[in-house]
Amino acid sequence: MARAIGHVTIVGLGLIGSSIARAVKERLPQVTVTGHDASADVRVAARALGFCDTVADDPAAAVAEADLVILAVPVGRMADAGSSIAPGLRGDAIISDVGSSKSGVADALAKALPGHLVIPAHPVAGTENSGPAAGFASLFEGRWCIVTPPAGAPGEAVAAVTGFWQALGAKVETMEAAHHDRVLAVTSHLPHLIAYTIVGTASELEEVTESEVIKYSAGGFRDFTRIAASDPVMWRDVFLANKEAVLETLQRFNEDLTVLQQAIRRGDGGKLEEWFTRTRAIRRSIIEQGQDDAAPDFGRKH
Ligand code: NAP
């Protein structure tokens, strides 16, 4: 049996935190939502946008009534956020987070919140925008949320976190934190690193002007710029926190890049075609499994 959640406190009211609050208001109207953010400007914006029942100035006061507390701050700020709520937490509250890497966050929260029940989670959903105005209630619909309970976590608390995300429209999978970090290094962290690299490289080329890069960006470059516009602080923290898995995946990527480099140099068209046919099939599987739209050019209007 899942533990009942009647009051949720969200700490960090940016893209993800404000989207959770909006989704709760829409899908779980019986649940009370309290919000807190370290930034006074964000608290003012959150009050004006009205997605929480209450926005508290003090983190400990914000969590005093909470059955479930969700930390939605950058990965490198989880320890601070945990320490700031510790004095106000009820002994039986469940603490969770939405961090994009899990092993480091689990360690940081275990230290910051000794004796408290922490059930980490990661909604694999987001956009390149940040801040309280960027959130929207449907962000998690049909998306995966990965829950990474520590060994021995009580089943009713894991079920409460799982049920909460399902109620917001997400599909939930449970796995170990270390496995999550390896999977996300491939599916999210490496693609962001590549996008940051390509966009940075293009802007520094001497023989191609910046205006040419922008003018002819529809050739492929434009799609990388969306990812490379993601929040600098959030992504700095993700790479520092998931260092080992990212470096291991990057090593594999460099090896594969060398294979393609050789194929181009040797004029091995068969190798290139075989590779590109395999990658096209992966795109088709993503569409078939409802993780993206089949509309050409990502549904852009021309
Ligand atoms: P965001 O829009 O930048 O919002 C984060 C908010 O947390 C900011 O308002 C920030 O204030 C505040 N904050 C920082 N430290 C705090 C503290 N100690 N106590 C209270 N508030 C604090 O970031 P986001 O995109 O929502 O990301 C939040 C978390 O979600 C990150 O851990 C990220 O890895 C994870 N995530 C993000 C995505 C995505 O696509 N964006 C997807 C899945 C998961 P300041 O700006 O003043 O520091």
Side-chain angles (χ1 to χ4, degrees):
M1 256 275 285
R3 205 188 294 177
I5 307 288
H7 192 134
V8 176
T9 293
I10 302 164
V11 176
L13 299 173
L15 169 70
I16 300 295
S18 74
S19 294
I20 296 172
R22 287 174 167 101
V24 172
K25 288 279 103 201
E26 201 172 287
R27 289 170 159 264
L28 297 169
Q30 74 284 9
V31 172
T32 304
V33 181
T34 299
H36 167 75
D37 196 286
S39 158
D41 290 347
V42 172
R43 296 198 297 272
V44 169
R47 284 186 188 111
L49 290 162
F51 49 69
C52 294
D53 295 303
T54 314
V55 176
D57 288 334
D58 178 61
V63 299
E65 306 288 324
D67 302 303
L68 173 65
V69 178
I70 300 184
L71 304 176
V73 304
V75 165
R77 303 286 297 275
M78 290 289 178
D80 286 352
S83 304
S84 75
I85 61 166
L89 280 173
R90 273 177 19 202
D92 63 348
I94 301 170
I95 297 99
S96 189
D97 76 298
V98 293
S100 304
S101 67
K102 299 273 50 115
S103 302
V105 169
D107 292 347
L109 291 181
K111 277 195 199 109
L113 296 165
H116 285 288
L117 183 55
V118 182
I119 312 284
H122 175 204
V124 187
T127 74
E128 63 278 28
N129 299 323
S130 311
F136 51 99
S138 60
L139 178 62
F140 311 109
E141 279 172 20
R143 299 280 162 243
W144 285 99
C145 180
I146 302 173
V147 178
T148 60
E156 36 119 37
V158 178
V161 173
T162 300
F164 176 77
W165 281 104
Q166 285 168 337
L168 302 196
K171 301 185 281 187
V172 177
E173 181 108 1
T174 302
M175 65 178 75
E176 281 185 12
H179 185 66
H180 165 279
D181 290 351
R182 285 195 295 274
V183 172
L184 270 290
V186 177
T187 58
S188 171
H189 307 170
L190 184 66
H192 276 80
L193 195 66
I194 293 168
Y196 282 126
T197 313
I198 289 178
V199 176
T201 304
S203 69
E204 281 171 14
L205 285 176
E206 278 147 22
E207 64 275 27
V208 180
T209 65
E210 198 173 310
S211 67
E212 284 173 316
V213 169
I214 292 166
K215 191 167 161 189
Y216 302 117
S217 64
F221 181 76
R222 185 178 62 182
D223 292 340
F224 285 101
T225 61
R226 184 192 69 76
I227 302 178
S230 299
D231 190 77
V233 172
M234 171 189 155
W235 282 97
R236 175 202 66 193
D237 285 358
V238 168
F239 290 120
L240 296 178
N242 200 20
K243 182 173 161 180
E244 278 165 33
V246 169
L247 291 179
E248 199 179 304
T249 312
L250 193 57
Q251 174 67 28
R252 287 290 300 272
F253 174 76
N254 281 329
E255 287 165 17
D256 288 345
L257 199 58
T258 305
V259 170
L260 291 182
Q261 194 180 4
Q262 277 176 351
I264 294 169
R265 184 176 296 122
R266 293 172 184 167
D268 187 349
K271 178 90 207 164
L272 295 175
E273 196 178 331
E274 176 206 322
W275 196 289
F276 302 160
T277 303
R278 188 159 56 86
T279 57
R280 178 181 253 198
I282 291 173
R283 168 82 191 151
R284 288 193 178 135
S285 308
I286 288 170
I287 292 165
E288 274 161 26
Q289 291 184 29
Q291 294 299 302
D292 204 356
D293 206 282
D297 199 18
F298 300 123
R300 287 185 182 107
K301 290 186 183 69
H302 293 284

